[in-house]
């Protein structure tokens, strides 16, 4: 992703980009669900949507369904679109709380076009006209991560990125500055450079292996540290959403692609053995597995500096937040976007690096807090993991948000938070938080009028979904296949 984006931005007469990969090591091979910011990346990488869907066997994603999170048997949806009409903005949530505090009982899911469409297995593209309720839609994709990597590699190489196969062993540093000067590969190549982007995955070959940058461990907030993944045959039409199902020691994902379903169980090794995790995953599959289960160990947290000297860590080398809200690919894009806007001279000014580190840290901490909310706000789940998470001290930012929400129904956001009001509203409400009050300005609207407005949203959503095509009819696959 980084090479494909950089080659578009640099002057290829003055700047060369070398991509080093090792087939022997391979990629982590998971990461199939995205969020709507993927459109930004695909646009700057010059990717055509239909070609991308065909090449990566992608499906559309309208959000995530969380089952058994707030309490056993309960389910809610985190939609990528907005609630209410486009013109409602944040006032939807206050209209909703006013009605609710006045005794109105209904499911807020029925007021989100994304949610109702997803549950009906429907899809359509968002409208640009803000008067249309279709303008409240948002979407992302599920795709085959290995095919996406191959697709980007081909496109990057076509534009001038030079790929070097081989394992990086020896790494040279400048004697005084400590800057990295060259990489030596197992094939005897010596690759000199001015700026090194460490995309070596969890091992952080340069940022940690050479520069020893340090890591902030967040496993006291996000305790899962292992995953077991297995693909299974596709038995029914792919759903237009990801499923995240809470289990005894973590949660299970189900990601529908055109040609298979991606499954995985993310768990805490203090509360489950690998054998138990694999057994739980395999027995829950709705179709035969297509491979042996694969285990992945990880540590949740972030590199203390994503940019250190002339090394910028992008991807898993810069840190990892578990995949509950499918945010890692977004963080790669975000790293790329920030690097483009802070692109350095040869000297890699430490002020530029400092600014990069500051804004990356803010963003990842905001996402971390959003994930912690899912683990913390649960009830009636007796297993030790859930009991432990209910009692944990919260990060200050999350504690402040929860308190604001409880007092006034307001969602207070930092200036550059990834998840906006609709997402926090969905997850706070879905996890069982109920505010005691709402914005008093909504009292300018009479209660009857408010209920009538809510009724018209619900009817508008239902009517729009009735006219949408089935999700499967919108997919674009390879010629001759089910979606060709
Ligand atoms: C269980 C799990 C589920 C996930 N699910 C999602 C999801 O649904 N959505 C999402 O957005 N993200 C998800 N992620 C994160 C996602 O997988 C990663 O962000 C993404 O795959 C990018 O990984 P990477 O490129 O940083 O590292 P990797 O895929 O590990 O790639 C590292 C690269 O470095 C090369 N390399 C390493 N060492 C050397 C060396 N010595 N010499 C030469 N080359 C070397 C490797 O060959 C490889 O090409 C998930 C992660 C995990 C662990």
């Amino acid at each position: 992703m980084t090479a494909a984006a950089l080659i578009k931005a640099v002057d290829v007469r003055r700047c060369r980009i070398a991509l080093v990969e090792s087939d022997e090591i391979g990629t982590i091979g998971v990461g199939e669900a995205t969020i709507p910011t993927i459109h930004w990346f695909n646009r700057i990488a010059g990717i055509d949507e239909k070609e991308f869907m065909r090449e990566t066997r992608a499906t559309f994603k309208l959000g995530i369904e969380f089952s058994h999170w707030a309490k056993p048997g309960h389910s809610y949806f985190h939609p990528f679109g907005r609630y209410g009409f486009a013109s409602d903005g944040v006032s939807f949530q206050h209209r909703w709380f006013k009605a609710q505090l006045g005794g109105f009982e209904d499911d807020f899911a029925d007021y989100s076009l994304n949610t109702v469409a997803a549950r009906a297995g429907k899809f359509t593209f968002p409208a640009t006209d803000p008067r249309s309720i279709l303008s409240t839609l948002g979407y992302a994709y599920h795709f085959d991560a290995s095919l996406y990597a191959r697709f980007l590699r081909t496109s990057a190489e076509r534009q001038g990125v030079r790929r070097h196969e081989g394992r990086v062993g020896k790494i040279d540093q400048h004697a005084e500055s400590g800057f990295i000067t060259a990489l030596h590969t197992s094939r005897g190549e010596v690759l000199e450079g001015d700026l090194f982007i460490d995309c070596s995955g969890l091992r952080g070959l340069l940022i940690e292996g050479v520069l020893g940058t340090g890591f902030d461990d967040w496993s006291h907030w996000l305790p899962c540290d292992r995953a077991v993944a297995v693909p299974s045959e596709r038995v029914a039409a792919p759903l237009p959403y990801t499923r995240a199902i809470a289990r005894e020691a973590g949660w299970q994902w189900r990601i529908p692609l055109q040609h298979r379903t991606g499954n995985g169980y993310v768990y805490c090794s203090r509360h489950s053995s690998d054998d138990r995790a694999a057994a739980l995953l395999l027995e829950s599959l709705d179709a035969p597995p297509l491979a042996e289960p694969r285990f992945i160990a990880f540590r949740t947290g972030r590199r203390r500096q994503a940019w250190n000297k002339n090394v910028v860590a992008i991807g898993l080398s810069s840190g990892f937040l578990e995949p509950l809200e499918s945010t890692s690919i977004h963080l790669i894009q975000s790293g790329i976007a920030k690097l483009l806007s802070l692109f350095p001279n040869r000297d890699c000014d430490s002020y530029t690096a400092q600014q990069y580190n500051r804004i990356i840290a803010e963003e990842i901490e905001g996402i971390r807090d959003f994930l912690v909310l899912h683990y913390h706000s649960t009830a009636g789940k007796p297993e030790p993991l859930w009991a432990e998470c209910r009692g944990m001290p919260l990060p200050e930012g999350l504690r402040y948000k929860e308190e604001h929400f409880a007092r006034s129904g307001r969602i207070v956001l930092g200036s550059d938070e990834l998840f906006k009001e609709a997402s926090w509203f969905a997850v706070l409400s879905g996890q069982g938080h109920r505010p005691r009050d709402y914005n008093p300005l909504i009292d300018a609207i009479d209660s009857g009028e408010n209920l009538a407005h809510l009724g018209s949203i619900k009817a508008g959503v239902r009517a729009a979904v009735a006219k949408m095509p089935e999700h499967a009819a919108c997919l674009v696959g390879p010629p001759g296949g089910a979606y060709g």
Side-chain angles (χ1 to χ4, degrees):
M1 290 177 78
T2 307
L6 285 188
I7 195 69
K8 285 268 178 202
V10 299
D11 176 352
V12 288
R13 290 162 307 181
R14 295 176 58 223
C15 181
R16 277 173 295 132
I17 299 179
L19 167 68
V20 193
E21 287 182 296
S22 160
D23 283 340
E24 197 187 308
I25 297 173
T27 60
I28 194 158
V30 279
E32 304 183 321
T34 59
I35 59 173
T37 53
I38 186 80
H39 300 301
W40 169 84
F41 178 80
N42 281 357
R43 222 172 10 251
I44 67 150
I47 292 171
D48 169 74
E49 185 173 51
K50 286 201 169 74
E51 188 189 356
F52 153 80
M53 293 200 71
R54 203 167 28 239
E55 294 298 321
T56 65
R57 310 288 194 276
T59 62
F60 293 108
K61 174 178 173 187
L62 291 168
I64 308 176
E65 183 186 66
F66 290 93
S67 304
H68 312 301
W69 281 84
K71 55 188 175 196
H74 177 267
S75 158
Y76 72 94
F77 199 83
H78 170 196
F80 288 154
R82 300 215 294 268
Y83 286 84
F85 295 125
S87 54
D88 289 338
V90 282
S91 77
F92 171 80
Q93 88 205 33
H94 293 285
R95 281 179 174 274
W96 178 255
F97 298 139
K98 175 181 166 92
Q100 207 177 40
L101 288 164
F104 181 60
E105 285 178 20
D106 204 1
D107 184 353
F108 64 90
D110 291 341
Y111 299 78
S112 145
L113 186 58
N114 266 63
T115 308
V116 177
R119 289 189 165 151
K122 303 282 195 85
F123 179 78
T124 197
F125 292 99
T128 46
D129 179 355
R131 288 166 304 177
S132 163
I133 195 157
L134 296 182
S135 68
T136 64
L137 272 178
Y139 74 98
Y141 312 98
H142 308 109
F143 56 62
D144 183 319
S146 311
L147 294 179
Y148 188 51
R150 195 190 302 165
F151 178 65
L152 289 175
R153 174 184 151 189
T154 310
S155 125
E157 282 185 306
R158 212 185 295 133
Q159 293 169 75
V161 168
R162 172 111 195 266
R163 182 181 184 275
H164 301 259
E165 168 58 36
R167 206 180 173 114
V168 173
K170 186 167 168 283
I171 296 164
D172 297 337
Q173 276 177 286
H174 189 275
E176 279 152 34
S177 66
F179 274 34
I180 289 184
T181 53
L183 312 177
H184 298 247
T185 76
S186 50
R187 300 205 169 177
E189 289 184 288
V190 182
L191 302 167
E192 293 181 343
D194 298 306
L195 178 68
F196 290 81
I197 321 251
D198 184 344
C199 300
S200 64
L202 292 168
R203 52 185 71 72
L205 193 67
L206 310 183
I207 196 81
E208 198 59 52
V210 177
L211 298 180
T213 303
F215 189 82
D216 283 335
D217 189 314
W218 290 336
S219 50
H220 50 294
W221 284 315
L222 294 167
C224 292
D225 57 356
R226 285 184 77 72
V228 51
V230 71
S232 63
E233 286 175 21
R234 189 177 62 73
V235 281
L239 297 172
Y241 58 93
T242 305
R243 295 186 63 201
I245 307 151
R247 307 295 303 258
E248 61 187 29
W251 64 278
Q252 183 180 338
W253 79 74
R254 193 170 283 182
I255 298 178
L257 305 181
Q258 290 182 21
H259 55 313
R260 60 173 168 78
T261 302
N263 307 278
Y265 180 28
V266 174
Y267 57 99
C268 172
S269 62
R270 282 187 290 109
H271 297 300
S272 174
S273 67
D274 287 350
D275 287 350
R276 171 85 186 145
L280 270 185
L281 179 66
L282 289 172
E283 78 192 24
S284 72
L285 299 184
D286 62 357
L290 292 168
E292 286 298 310
R294 201 161 61 84
F295 293 92
I296 302 158
F298 57 82
R299 193 149 66 112
T300 291
R302 75 172 178 94
R303 202 68 60 198
R304 289 208 180 107
Q305 299 171 73
W307 185 331
N308 187 358
K309 301 189 188 289
N310 63 339
V311 174
V312 182
I314 293 188
L316 298 173
S317 57
S318 67
F320 181 54
L321 291 173
E322 60 139 283
L324 186 56
E325 286 281 356
S326 329
T327 43
S328 286
I329 293 173
H330 163 82
L331 283 168
I332 295 175
Q333 298 165 198
S334 175
I336 295 168
K338 292 173 172 63
L339 175 60
L340 291 177
S341 74
L342 290 166
F343 205 77
N345 284 323
R346 280 205 167 81
D347 63 354
C348 282
D349 183 7
S350 64
Y351 262 70
T352 313
Q354 219 179 86
Q355 174 62 10
Y356 182 90
N357 289 331
R358 184 191 295 243
I359 54 183
I360 283 278
E362 264 173 34
E363 181 171 30
I364 195 168
E365 283 170 19
I367 300 173
R368 175 201 66 196
D369 289 1
F370 191 57
L371 299 187
V372 174
L373 167 64
H374 300 66
Y375 278 88
H376 171 248
S377 302
T378 69
K381 298 203 285 185
E383 296 91 349
L385 170 80
W386 299 107
E388 196 177 290
C389 289
R390 270 195 300 278
M392 69 182 160
L394 293 182
E396 177 50 27
L398 177 58
R399 192 206 59 74
Y400 185 72
K401 273 201 179 70
E402 285 191 3
E403 189 57 31
H404 256 283
F405 187 73
R407 285 166 184 255
S408 64
R410 289 199 177 89
I411 290 157
V412 286
L413 296 179
S415 57
D416 196 21
E417 285 202 41
L418 171 62
F419 291 105
K420 306 288 187 234
E421 278 92 352
S423 293
W424 280 94
F425 169 74
V427 177
L428 279 163
S429 305
Q431 295 284 150
H433 289 259
R434 295 286 174 269
R436 298 190 290 275
D437 205 354
Y438 52 87
N439 186 334
L441 292 178
I442 288 292
D443 281 335
I445 303 165
D446 156 89
S447 294
E449 201 185 309
N450 190 33
L451 289 178
H453 182 82
L454 291 174
S456 67
I457 295 171
K458 190 169 170 174
V461 164
R462 204 180 290 150
V465 171
K467 287 195 207 136
M468 285 184 191
E470 298 291 324
H471 171 233
C474 304
L475 300 177
V476 183
Y483 306 105

